[in-house]
Amino acid sequence: MIQYTDFFSRLAEESASRKREFLEIGRIAGRFPAATTRQDGEIAVWCSNDYLGMGQHPLVVRAMKTAIDEYGAGSGGSRNIGGTNHYHVLLERELADLHGKEDALVFTSGYSANEGALSVLAGLMDDCVAFSDELNHASIIDGLRHSRAEKRIFRHNDPAHLEELVAAVDPRRPKLLVTESVHSMGGDMAPLAELADIAKRYGMLTFLDEVHAVGMYGPQGAGIAAERGLAGEFDLVMGTLAKAFGTTGGYVAGPSLLIDAVRAFSRSFIFTTALPPSVAAGGLAAVRHLRGSDVERERLRTNARTMHRMLAERRIPFLSDHSHIVSVRVGEDALCKRISALLLERHGMYVQAINAPSVRAGEEILRVAPGAVHSPADVGDFVTALDGIWTELGVPRGRTERG
């Protein structure tokens, strides 16, 4: 008889350094970034993806409460079987309009949106070749893997390497380009103009993941492509409601013909229960608010720039000053966890250490997110606390890797 417990015991021993430990945390309604934990009392959160604080915004909370009073807690089923609510329809119309696309489709998460859409788009086209940035998110990797299409991986943010790979492929084969606009761990931005130019010259279908950009960049929060005047160069835009929009869920927007194909064939869309109407209503309220308000975006930019400047002055290395994602480079798993623990224990500041497989082993980071809900004084306090721990532990100082 196979000894399953023996196998998993050995696995646990071999991968002990990668064991996931979670801080039990409760965000305090109306006071975020304040939160409570059982062990540490009240703390300040510095690693949330609720970048603009919309998960606490009165308009969003009110919309969700109203929808619960109207329709109850759940959706009642998949979108195909009794689960499509009018809030889903309104949300999809709003998202399509935000991105200037014909149609949009909402999924239960950003992960399922990428996996579900890419598995269909790359999988249904005979002999398709998918070209993907080497640091694309796991959901993109899985979507392309499940499509069973041939994959070519180009070096991170390297248009020349992409073109080299594309030029080597039979021009008659269908081609799909997939990249993120703001990369989730490094915080750097893709060279979208160069990538779009290559895609156009070689007749590629383009799929742009704007998860860490929608709501925060571009006119009305439409993303990096829109900010750079390139929205029309990308056929499909994928986004999330779980970051700038403060709720949960993912979506894909694009031509009706392609969205219809995803709607008809995507397993992660068809075979799962729909978002509760209250969540769709909250997402809709957040999208509508941020289309008309620049206040939150400006606060985010100010806090990110302040943190970039203060870290640079103290020679605490971080990966990129392109965006609001401030990834402080540590490069050692145990040390990264130690810095995180000391920030929490001594200063009540919570920022999670990021290790493999989220980043490569030896490239561990503190992924700091100075959001719109923080004040400039908060940013100063955080950098001062980090600087003191950096000195105490003798962590090497250096320059930012990418400007």
Side-chain angles (χ1 to χ4, degrees):
M1 179 179 178
I2 298 173
Q3 297 299 312
Y4 297 104
T5 54
D6 290 347
F7 171 80
F8 285 103
S9 293
R10 289 195 302 272
L11 179 64
E13 291 176 3
E14 294 167 0
S15 59
S17 65
R18 292 174 59 178
K19 182 179 179 181
R20 298 278 170 163
E21 297 179 357
F22 303 109
L23 181 68
E24 188 175 331
I25 187 171
R27 301 197 301 165
I28 302 174
R31 290 184 52 208
F32 186 67
T36 58
T37 71
R38 291 181 181 274
Q39 302 90 344
D40 303 284
E42 186 169 320
I43 63 170
V45 179
W46 284 92
C47 53
S48 173
N49 285 341
D50 189 359
Y51 299 124
L52 302 181
M54 293 305 296
Q56 305 277 319
H57 197 285
L59 286 174
V60 175
V61 174
R62 190 179 312 126
M64 295 185 73
K65 288 180 177 178
T66 298
I68 287 177
D69 289 341
E70 288 180 312
Y71 299 112
S75 63
S78 69
R79 291 285 298 275
N80 292 319
I81 307 174
T84 295
N85 182 273
H86 189 51
Y87 280 120
H88 296 126
V89 176
L90 292 176
L91 178 57
E92 287 170 344
R93 290 175 182 168
E94 194 74 28
L95 292 168
D97 190 61
L98 171 66
H99 293 291
K101 304 298 185 184
E102 291 179 340
D103 202 357
L105 187 66
V106 170
F107 289 73
T108 53
S109 72
Y111 192 102
S112 62
N114 264 338
E115 191 281 329
L118 289 170
S119 63
V120 169
L121 294 168
L124 290 183
M125 292 188 291
D126 290 338
D127 207 24
C128 178
V129 185
F131 297 83
S132 180
D133 187 288
E134 67 174 327
L135 295 188
N136 275 343
H137 191 264
S139 57
I140 294 174
I141 294 170
D142 283 353
L144 294 178
R145 178 183 294 134
H146 294 158
S147 76
R148 299 186 179 180
E150 183 180 341
K151 296 178 290 294
R152 305 286 174 90
I153 309 302
F154 61 94
R155 290 188 292 269
H156 180 53
N157 284 350
D158 189 338
H161 188 223
L162 170 64
E163 182 158 20
E164 177 185 330
L165 295 176
V166 176
V169 173
D170 187 333
R172 294 168 295 183
R173 295 183 67 180
K175 302 172 186 66
L176 172 66
L177 170 63
V178 188
T179 189
E180 300 177 52
S181 60
V182 178
H183 288 274
S184 58
M185 287 296 116
D188 53 330
M189 295 185 182
L192 295 185
E194 293 92 332
L195 297 179
D197 177 66
I198 293 168
K200 180 179 288 187
R201 286 191 283 111
Y202 287 90
M204 305 175 76
L205 181 68
T206 49
F207 186 101
L208 180 62
D209 178 324
E210 293 255 40
V211 158
H212 292 277
V214 290
M216 294 170 285
Y217 298 91
Q220 300 182 36
I224 299 297
E227 182 177 75
R228 298 180 181 178
L230 299 169
E233 302 299 315
F234 291 89
D235 300 301
L236 295 115
V237 174
M238 178 270 171
T240 185
L241 303 167
K243 295 179 172 57
F245 298 127
T247 56
T248 192
Y251 66 88
V252 179
S256 294
L257 193 64
L258 299 182
I259 299 300
D260 281 343
V262 175
R263 187 182 288 113
F265 294 101
S266 171
R267 295 170 67 85
S268 65
F269 174 78
I270 296 169
F271 296 105
T272 193
T273 299
L275 285 179
S278 59
V279 175
L284 176 64
V287 174
R288 286 176 170 171
H289 172 77
L290 290 174
R291 292 189 73 179
S293 173
D294 287 322
V295 172
E296 295 83 1
R297 284 188 280 275
E298 187 53 43
R299 287 177 184 159
L300 184 73
R301 283 192 292 269
T302 298
N303 286 337
R305 289 168 183 162
T306 300
M307 183 167 284
H308 294 151
R309 175 180 56 78
M310 294 186 71
L311 290 173
E313 288 171 351
R314 289 158 177 78
R315 300 183 64 244
I316 296 175
F318 56 100
L319 298 185
S320 173
D321 61 3
H322 288 176
S323 74
H324 60 285
I325 298 171
V326 185
S327 297
V328 176
R329 177 167 53 84
V330 179
E332 182 184 322
D333 189 21
L335 180 59
C336 203
K337 291 176 179 176
R338 180 61 177 155
I339 297 171
S340 172
L342 289 175
L343 282 169
L344 184 61
E345 293 167 9
R346 295 181 181 175
H347 303 281
M349 298 172 176
Y350 173 53
V351 55
Q352 180 66 290
I354 305 296
N355 59 4
S358 298
V359 294
R360 294 166 177 159
E363 297 181 4
E364 288 79 9
I365 59 173
L366 294 171
R367 185 181 180 279
V368 188
V373 291
H374 297 101
S375 70
D378 293 335
V379 174
D381 291 343
F382 178 86
V383 174
T384 298
L386 179 63
D387 185 45
I389 293 171
W390 210 265
T391 298
E392 177 185 337
L393 299 181
V395 186
R397 297 179 185 264
R399 299 173 59 187
T400 299
E401 292 182 1
R402 297 189 292 267

